[in-house]
Amino acid sequence: YTDAGSWYSQLVVIDASNKTEIWEDTSMVTSDKQPISLKIALTYSRCRNEESIKGMFNDYRTEAFDDVALNTLVFSRVPSPAKVVTTQYSLDQMLGIAEGDAEVGRQVVENDLYDLLKPELSEVHVCLQNVTIADIGVDQSYLDALSEKASANIQREVAQAQTATLAETLKQEQAQTNIDLEIDRSDNVVNEELAKVFQLSPVFLEIRNLELLAQVLDENDLVVYVPEGSDVSTVLLNGNEGVVPVPNN
């Protein structure tokens, strides 16, 4: 600023570069009454337009030159908007783990903080550039509950997979049972037809009996056929293997 013609005229330089500072509050509460700590990164600067520069120089002389004093001024304006925002959302919503229509996420919370903080800081000639949530601290009991919930979800997924496997196995067993029943039915039909053949043809029945007999004999067995009406009552086998009695006709 200048005071034209004055002995005390001078040039004053005000830093309007961006500053990034971390603000934290450990006593915040969510809409579902969960205690949390909130840490946010604020990027701000002294506003660069002529009106704001003059306003800060006149209204906040120390803050116009001292960055520490400016940071104190900015942080004094943060708690109220922060508390308003945190009480609007549940902890699950703020963490971005809420399901369905309740899904929110950190980006939404950051936007809300920005929208509330920007006019607050403009009143003291500070321009807000960006708001980023650096951390949301939660109670250990909440973390334990999340762990139990995750474990339960995993167990439910495993149970569902096992149920699906058992259902598929049962389906395969039922299909195999149906096949076996069809095979048995077909065998019964064949056996019924063979029985009809045996009834109609004694010769065929005799041949079948011989085939079955051949299956139970080995190559060293000796079979002696005695003609019907013969008076032979015994047969002497080779190798002193004994005598096989043959009943008289």
Side-chain angles (χ1 to χ4, degrees):
Y1 73 98
T2 61
D3 184 3
S6 169
W7 179 261
Y8 299 101
S9 297
Q10 60 179 321
L11 176 67
V12 177
V13 178
I14 294 179
D15 179 9
S17 63
N18 288 345
K19 320 290 180 185
T20 299
E21 300 291 342
I22 300 296
W23 176 89
E24 182 176 12
D25 191 323
T26 60
S27 60
M28 310 296 283
V29 180
T30 63
S31 64
D32 53 343
K33 300 180 181 179
Q34 291 286 347
I36 63 170
S37 63
L38 182 65
K39 182 185 293 185
I40 58 177
L42 300 173
T43 300
Y44 58 88
S45 67
R46 298 176 178 91
C47 292
R48 300 177 178 94
N49 60 78
E50 180 180 352
E51 181 181 355
S52 295
I53 292 175
K54 289 181 177 180
M56 176 166 281
F57 183 80
N58 292 324
D59 300 337
Y60 300 96
R61 183 68 57 89
T62 301
E63 288 80 0
F65 303 105
D66 188 337
D67 288 346
V68 174
L70 177 65
N71 177 252
T72 301
L73 176 63
V74 170
F75 278 9
S76 70
R77 296 291 179 123
V78 177
S80 180
K83 292 180 185 298
V84 170
V85 172
T86 56
T87 54
Q88 288 180 346
Y89 301 110
S90 69
L91 182 50
D92 283 358
Q93 289 176 322
M94 293 187 65
L95 294 176
I97 60 175
E99 299 177 355
D101 296 336
E103 182 179 357
V104 174
R106 293 192 179 195
Q107 185 62 56
V108 174
V109 178
E110 290 173 350
N111 292 341
D112 287 352
L113 285 170
Y114 180 87
D115 292 341
L116 290 176
L117 275 172
K118 187 175 179 63
E120 283 279 339
L121 295 181
S122 66
E123 292 180 357
V124 294
H125 314 294
V126 174
C127 289
L128 181 63
Q129 309 299 336
N130 187 53
V131 175
T132 302
I133 296 178
D135 184 50
I136 299 176
V138 300
D139 188 77
Q140 184 60 43
S141 61
Y142 179 83
L143 294 177
D144 293 340
L146 281 183
S147 178
E148 292 178 2
K149 181 179 179 181
S151 178
N153 288 337
I154 292 175
Q155 292 177 1
R156 182 168 59 252
E157 291 175 359
V158 170
Q160 290 174 346
Q162 291 175 341
T163 300
T165 300
L166 291 174
E168 185 62 27
T169 301
L170 179 59
K171 186 184 299 183
Q172 294 176 355
E173 291 177 350
Q174 289 175 340
Q176 185 61 48
T177 299
N178 292 335
I179 292 173
D180 293 340
L181 290 174
E182 182 61 25
I183 292 174
D184 291 341
R185 189 190 67 80
S186 299
D187 290 344
N188 289 335
V189 172
V190 172
N191 291 333
E192 289 176 0
E193 294 300 321
L194 287 176
K196 293 179 181 179
V197 173
F198 295 150
Q199 291 174 358
L200 297 174
S201 176
V203 175
F204 187 79
L205 177 59
E206 183 64 24
I207 293 173
R208 181 57 181 161
N209 287 334
L210 293 174
E211 289 176 346
L212 295 175
L213 179 61
Q215 293 177 6
V216 299
L217 297 175
D218 57 35
E219 60 183 5
N220 296 321
D221 290 332
L222 178 63
V223 179
V224 178
Y225 292 94
V226 178
E228 187 176 356
S230 172
D231 59 356
V232 177
S233 61
T234 59
V235 175
L236 179 63
L237 299 179
N238 293 331
N240 297 322
E241 294 181 1
V243 176
V244 179
V246 179
N248 293 325
N249 291 328

